Amino acid sequence: MPAYPAISALLVWAALTSGAAQAAESDPALAILDGRALFEKLWVAAPSSTRASDGLGPYYNARACSACHHGAGRGHPPAPGDAPVSFVVMTARPDGAGGATPDPTYGHQIQTFAAPGLLAEGQVAVDWTETRVRLDDGSEVALRRPEVAVEALAHGPLDPATLLSPRIAPPVRGLGLIEAIPAAAILARADPDDADGDGISGRANLLSDEAGATLGRFGWKAASPDLPASTARAFAIDIGLSNPAHPEPWGDCTETQDDCRTAPHGDGDARGFEIDQKALDAVAAFLRHIEAPAPRPSDGDDTAPGEALFHGAGCANCHTPSYATAGGGEIHPYSDLLLHDMGPGLADGIVEAGASGSEWRTAPLWGIGLTDAGGGETSYLHDGRARDLLEAILWHGGEADAARNSVMAMPEPDRAALIRFLESL
Ligand code: HEC
Ligand code: HEC
C-alpha cells in the first residue's frame, strides 16, 4: 500500500478516538479515511456483484486514482514498448474563436482501456526525439522530447485538426495549502503586460462560469479552480465515473461512440451517481490532508550558495518561494501559480480555458528532490520528458529564456550547487 507522507498516524489516532459509532459525515477524520479508501479503490465495470464499486468506464485510463498518483507522487512516461501508466494523452482542436474543443470522436482524452466487450479507444505509442545542447563551458546535455501517436483507433481517424498533448500525473502533496492561498495574493503577482519590464509577465488562468470568474490553480495549465473540481473531473475522464459535476454515466465517450454510451453503467437504483457528493467531498478532504513535503537540508550540505544562484538566475521570478495562506500560515511552494509562455520547445498548441498553446503554470518545486518513480527513475515537466533537473531547466524558453541562459553560462560547480538547492526543497 502506498504511503502518504505524514497523514496516517494522526488520522488513525483521530479515527480511533472518535468512536466507531459516530457517523462519518459528522467526523472530518473519518471522511478523510473514506476519501483515502476511495482514492485507492479499484473500480470494476458494471454490472458487478459489488454494486458499490462498479461503474468503471466504459472507457477509462486507470481503475484507481492511486494507479496514477501512486503514493501521492508524480507519474512518468512509459518505458519503450510499455503501455502508459500515469501518463495520459489529452486531445483538443482549435475552435476558430480562440478557444479549443476536444476531438469530436474521441473526447477530451484517449482512453486506453475499455469495459469487457468494448474496444479501447486506441493505444498510445511514444517515440523520443533526441537533441543536444551545448553549455557555455563546452559540455553537452542530451535532451529528448516525446512524439506521441495513437494507434489501433477503434472509431476511425482523429479529426485532422486535433492536437495531442501528453501529460504525466503531477504529485498531489500539499495541495490543500495551495488551495488555501487567497486568490487576491496570486492575482497580485500577475503582470500580464510585463509592466515592470523584466521579460516575465505571468497571467492568471481566469475560468468563467455562471458565478463569474474563478482563478484556476490546479493542473499543468491551471485550468482547474479547486480540489473538488479536479477530483470530479478525474473521476469522469480518467476512470469513467459519473458524479454531480459530471453527470454523464459514460464518462468521456462522445455521441458518435454508441457502443460506449449504451454499455451498462453503475448509475440508477438507489445509488444515483456513481460517485455522490459525499464521496467527492471525502476525496477532496483526503487530498487536502496530504501534507506538503518538508524542506530537507541535505546531510550537513550548505544549500545557501545554491539558493543565491536560484535567485540570481531569476528562477524566483516565477518559482515564488513563499505565499501566506488564508489560515495565517506561510508556505513554500516555489511557484507563483501563474501561467507563463515557455516558448516553442514546451508548447503543445492547446488552449485550455485562458491558457494559450505555449503557456504553462509554474510547477511548484517543493518536494522535487523526493521524486523517484521507482528504480531511481525521475521525470519532470508536463510530459515527463526531462530525466533530471538540469534537463528540466534547459527546456525553459520564452519568458524563462534569460533564466535558462544564466544556468547554461554557470561554471559546473555552480550548476551543481543550484541542483543541490532544488533537491532540498
Ligand atoms: C490515468 C491517470 C490518472 C488518474 C487515474 C487520475 N489522475 Fe489525477 N491527474 C492526472 C494527470 C495527467 C493530471 C494533470 C492534468 C492536466 O493538468 O492536464 C492530474 C491532475 C490531478 C490533480 C491536480 C494536481 C495539481 O497539482 O494541480 C488532482 C488534484 C488530481 N489529479 C486528483 C485525482 C483524483 C482524486 C483521482 C481519482 C478520482 C485522479 N486524480 C485520477 C492523471 C490521473
Ligand atoms: C518564466 C517563468 C519561469 C522561470 C523564470 C523559471 N521557471 Fe521553472 N518552470 C516554469 C514553468 C511554467 C514550468 C512548467 C513547465 C512545463 O511543465 O512544461 C517550470 C518547471 C520547472 C521544473 C520542473 C518541475 C516539475 O514538476 O516537473 C524545474 C525543476 C524548474 N522549473 C526549475 C527552474 C529553475 C532552477 C529556474 C531558474 C534557472 C526556473 N525554473 C526558472 C516557469 C519558470
PDB file of all heavy atoms in Angstrom, residues 46-63:
ATOM      1  N   ALA A  46     -19.484  -2.218 -14.638  1.00  0.00           N
ATOM      2  CA  ALA A  46     -20.861  -2.606 -14.313  1.00  0.00           C
ATOM      3  C   ALA A  46     -21.366  -3.603 -15.375  1.00  0.00           C
ATOM      4  O   ALA A  46     -20.896  -3.574 -16.500  1.00  0.00           O
ATOM      5  CB  ALA A  46     -21.765  -1.371 -14.319  1.00  0.00           C
ATOM      6  N   PRO A  47     -22.329  -4.444 -15.093  1.00  0.00           N
ATOM      7  CA  PRO A  47     -22.831  -4.678 -13.742  1.00  0.00           C
ATOM      8  C   PRO A  47     -21.927  -5.669 -13.026  1.00  0.00           C
ATOM      9  O   PRO A  47     -21.353  -6.547 -13.669  1.00  0.00           O
ATOM     10  CB  PRO A  47     -24.203  -5.294 -14.008  1.00  0.00           C
ATOM     11  CG  PRO A  47     -24.058  -5.987 -15.342  1.00  0.00           C
ATOM     12  CD  PRO A  47     -23.009  -5.232 -16.115  1.00  0.00           C
ATOM     13  N   SER A  48     -21.777  -5.514 -11.738  1.00  0.00           N
ATOM     14  CA  SER A  48     -20.963  -6.469 -10.992  1.00  0.00           C
ATOM     15  C   SER A  48     -21.675  -6.770  -9.680  1.00  0.00           C
ATOM     16  O   SER A  48     -22.607  -6.063  -9.299  1.00  0.00           O
ATOM     17  CB  SER A  48     -19.574  -5.896 -10.724  1.00  0.00           C
ATOM     18  OG  SER A  48     -19.483  -5.395  -9.419  1.00  0.00           O
ATOM     19  N   SER A  49     -21.239  -7.812  -8.999  1.00  0.00           N
ATOM     20  CA  SER A  49     -21.914  -8.184  -7.758  1.00  0.00           C
ATOM     21  C   SER A  49     -21.633  -7.156  -6.666  1.00  0.00           C
ATOM     22  O   SER A  49     -22.396  -6.991  -5.733  1.00  0.00           O
ATOM     23  CB  SER A  49     -21.459  -9.571  -7.329  1.00  0.00           C
ATOM     24  OG  SER A  49     -20.048  -9.594  -7.287  1.00  0.00           O
ATOM     25  N   THR A  50     -20.538  -6.435  -6.801  1.00  0.00           N
ATOM     26  CA  THR A  50     -20.245  -5.394  -5.814  1.00  0.00           C
ATOM     27  C   THR A  50     -20.702  -4.060  -6.371  1.00  0.00           C
ATOM     28  O   THR A  50     -19.908  -3.272  -6.876  1.00  0.00           O
ATOM     29  CB  THR A  50     -18.739  -5.333  -5.504  1.00  0.00           C
ATOM     30  OG1 THR A  50     -18.046  -5.357  -6.755  1.00  0.00           O
ATOM     31  CG2 THR A  50     -18.271  -6.460  -4.643  1.00  0.00           C
ATOM     32  N   ARG A  51     -22.017  -3.801  -6.277  1.00  0.00           N
ATOM     33  CA  ARG A  51     -22.585  -2.624  -6.922  1.00  0.00           C
ATOM     34  C   ARG A  51     -21.895  -1.334  -6.510  1.00  0.00           C
ATOM     35  O   ARG A  51     -21.725  -0.418  -7.312  1.00  0.00           O
ATOM     36  CB  ARG A  51     -24.097  -2.505  -6.639  1.00  0.00           C
ATOM     37  CG  ARG A  51     -24.949  -3.574  -7.329  1.00  0.00           C
ATOM     38  CD  ARG A  51     -24.702  -3.651  -8.829  1.00  0.00           C
ATOM     39  NE  ARG A  51     -24.852  -2.385  -9.537  1.00  0.00           N
ATOM     40  CZ  ARG A  51     -25.949  -1.983 -10.148  1.00  0.00           C
ATOM     41  NH1 ARG A  51     -27.030  -2.722 -10.110  1.00  0.00           N
ATOM     42  NH2 ARG A  51     -25.995  -0.834 -10.796  1.00  0.00           N
ATOM     43  N   ALA A  52     -21.461  -1.258  -5.269  1.00  0.00           N
ATOM     44  CA  ALA A  52     -20.884  -0.004  -4.788  1.00  0.00           C
ATOM     45  C   ALA A  52     -19.524   0.287  -5.410  1.00  0.00           C
ATOM     46  O   ALA A  52     -19.021   1.389  -5.300  1.00  0.00           O
ATOM     47  CB  ALA A  52     -20.775  -0.030  -3.262  1.00  0.00           C
ATOM     48  N   SER A  53     -18.911  -0.709  -6.049  1.00  0.00           N
ATOM     49  CA  SER A  53     -17.592  -0.499  -6.650  1.00  0.00           C
ATOM     50  C   SER A  53     -17.646  -0.519  -8.159  1.00  0.00           C
ATOM     51  O   SER A  53     -16.614  -0.532  -8.810  1.00  0.00           O
ATOM     52  CB  SER A  53     -16.617  -1.596  -6.208  1.00  0.00           C
ATOM     53  OG  SER A  53     -16.463  -1.582  -4.831  1.00  0.00           O
ATOM     54  N   ASP A  54     -18.866  -0.577  -8.752  1.00  0.00           N
ATOM     55  CA  ASP A  54     -18.875  -0.680 -10.206  1.00  0.00           C
ATOM     56  C   ASP A  54     -19.159   0.665 -10.866  1.00  0.00           C
ATOM     57  O   ASP A  54     -19.291   1.690 -10.204  1.00  0.00           O
ATOM     58  CB  ASP A  54     -19.786  -1.825 -10.676  1.00  0.00           C
ATOM     59  CG  ASP A  54     -21.261  -1.503 -10.581  1.00  0.00           C
ATOM     60  OD1 ASP A  54     -21.601  -0.341 -10.286  1.00  0.00           O
ATOM     61  OD2 ASP A  54     -22.065  -2.415 -10.796  1.00  0.00           O
ATOM     62  N   GLY A  55     -19.183   0.642 -12.210  1.00  0.00           N
ATOM     63  CA  GLY A  55     -19.380   1.888 -12.948  1.00  0.00           C
ATOM     64  C   GLY A  55     -18.130   2.322 -13.693  1.00  0.00           C
ATOM     65  O   GLY A  55     -18.140   3.306 -14.420  1.00  0.00           O
ATOM     66  N   LEU A  56     -17.047   1.561 -13.516  1.00  0.00           N
ATOM     67  CA  LEU A  56     -15.792   1.876 -14.214  1.00  0.00           C
ATOM     68  C   LEU A  56     -16.065   2.043 -15.706  1.00  0.00           C
ATOM     69  O   LEU A  56     -16.762   1.245 -16.315  1.00  0.00           O
ATOM     70  CB  LEU A  56     -14.816   0.707 -13.999  1.00  0.00           C
ATOM     71  CG  LEU A  56     -13.494   0.756 -14.762  1.00  0.00           C
ATOM     72  CD1 LEU A  56     -12.595   1.837 -14.192  1.00  0.00           C
ATOM     73  CD2 LEU A  56     -12.785  -0.605 -14.676  1.00  0.00           C
ATOM     74  N   GLY A  57     -15.478   3.074 -16.290  1.00  0.00           N
ATOM     75  CA  GLY A  57     -15.569   3.270 -17.739  1.00  0.00           C
ATOM     76  C   GLY A  57     -16.928   3.758 -18.182  1.00  0.00           C
ATOM     77  O   GLY A  57     -17.533   4.553 -17.476  1.00  0.00           O
ATOM     78  N   PRO A  58     -17.443   3.262 -19.303  1.00  0.00           N
ATOM     79  CA  PRO A  58     -16.938   2.165 -20.141  1.00  0.00           C
ATOM     80  C   PRO A  58     -15.515   2.378 -20.689  1.00  0.00           C
ATOM     81  O   PRO A  58     -14.822   1.404 -20.901  1.00  0.00           O
ATOM     82  CB  PRO A  58     -17.954   2.079 -21.285  1.00  0.00           C
ATOM     83  CG  PRO A  58     -19.215   2.634 -20.690  1.00  0.00           C
ATOM     84  CD  PRO A  58     -18.787   3.711 -19.739  1.00  0.00           C
ATOM     85  N   TYR A  59     -15.126   3.627 -20.981  1.00  0.00           N
ATOM     86  CA  TYR A  59     -13.733   3.844 -21.368  1.00  0.00           C
ATOM     87  C   TYR A  59     -12.994   4.409 -20.164  1.00  0.00           C
ATOM     88  O   TYR A  59     -13.540   5.227 -19.420  1.00  0.00           O
ATOM     89  CB  TYR A  59     -13.642   4.879 -22.504  1.00  0.00           C
ATOM     90  CG  TYR A  59     -14.252   4.447 -23.807  1.00  0.00           C
ATOM     91  CD1 TYR A  59     -14.702   5.406 -24.713  1.00  0.00           C
ATOM     92  CD2 TYR A  59     -14.368   3.103 -24.139  1.00  0.00           C
ATOM     93  CE1 TYR A  59     -15.260   5.031 -25.926  1.00  0.00           C
ATOM     94  CE2 TYR A  59     -14.922   2.721 -25.348  1.00  0.00           C
ATOM     95  CZ  TYR A  59     -15.367   3.689 -26.237  1.00  0.00           C
ATOM     96  OH  TYR A  59     -15.920   3.316 -27.428  1.00  0.00           O
ATOM     97  N   TYR A  60     -11.770   4.028 -19.985  1.00  0.00           N
ATOM     98  CA  TYR A  60     -11.020   4.561 -18.843  1.00  0.00           C
ATOM     99  C   TYR A  60      -9.520   4.476 -19.090  1.00  0.00           C
ATOM    100  O   TYR A  60      -9.063   3.767 -19.992  1.00  0.00           O
ATOM    101  CB  TYR A  60     -11.403   3.831 -17.547  1.00  0.00           C
ATOM    102  CG  TYR A  60     -11.123   2.333 -17.547  1.00  0.00           C
ATOM    103  CD1 TYR A  60      -9.968   1.827 -16.961  1.00  0.00           C
ATOM    104  CD2 TYR A  60     -12.022   1.432 -18.120  1.00  0.00           C
ATOM    105  CE1 TYR A  60      -9.705   0.459 -16.969  1.00  0.00           C
ATOM    106  CE2 TYR A  60     -11.765   0.068 -18.128  1.00  0.00           C
ATOM    107  CZ  TYR A  60     -10.609  -0.410 -17.553  1.00  0.00           C
ATOM    108  OH  TYR A  60     -10.353  -1.754 -17.560  1.00  0.00           O
ATOM    109  N   ASN A  61      -8.780   5.216 -18.273  1.00  0.00           N
ATOM    110  CA  ASN A  61      -7.315   5.179 -18.334  1.00  0.00           C
ATOM    111  C   ASN A  61      -6.700   4.400 -17.179  1.00  0.00           C
ATOM    112  O   ASN A  61      -5.552   3.963 -17.262  1.00  0.00           O
ATOM    113  CB  ASN A  61      -6.725   6.590 -18.328  1.00  0.00           C
ATOM    114  CG  ASN A  61      -6.959   7.304 -19.646  1.00  0.00           C
ATOM    115  OD1 ASN A  61      -7.863   8.110 -19.778  1.00  0.00           O
ATOM    116  ND2 ASN A  61      -6.151   6.967 -20.639  1.00  0.00           N
ATOM    117  N   ALA A  62      -7.433   4.315 -16.078  1.00  0.00           N
ATOM    118  CA  ALA A  62      -6.920   3.564 -14.930  1.00  0.00           C
ATOM    119  C   ALA A  62      -8.105   3.209 -14.055  1.00  0.00           C
ATOM    120  O   ALA A  62      -9.168   3.824 -14.161  1.00  0.00           O
ATOM    121  CB  ALA A  62      -5.909   4.398 -14.145  1.00  0.00           C
ATOM    122  N   ARG A  63      -7.937   2.214 -13.191  1.00  0.00           N
ATOM    123  CA  ARG A  63      -9.036   1.775 -12.325  1.00  0.00           C
ATOM    124  C   ARG A  63      -9.045   2.459 -10.968  1.00  0.00           C
ATOM    125  O   ARG A  63      -9.960   2.256 -10.182  1.00  0.00           O
ATOM    126  CB  ARG A  63      -8.965   0.250 -12.137  1.00  0.00           C
ATOM    127  CG  ARG A  63      -9.331  -0.501 -13.433  1.00  0.00           C
ATOM    128  CD  ARG A  63      -9.161  -1.987 -13.238  1.00  0.00           C
ATOM    129  NE  ARG A  63      -9.963  -2.458 -12.108  1.00  0.00           N
ATOM    130  CZ  ARG A  63      -9.756  -3.594 -11.460  1.00  0.00           C
ATOM    131  NH1 ARG A  63      -8.767  -4.385 -11.837  1.00  0.00           N
ATOM    132  NH2 ARG A  63     -10.510  -3.946 -10.449  1.00  0.00           N
TER     133      ARG A  63
END
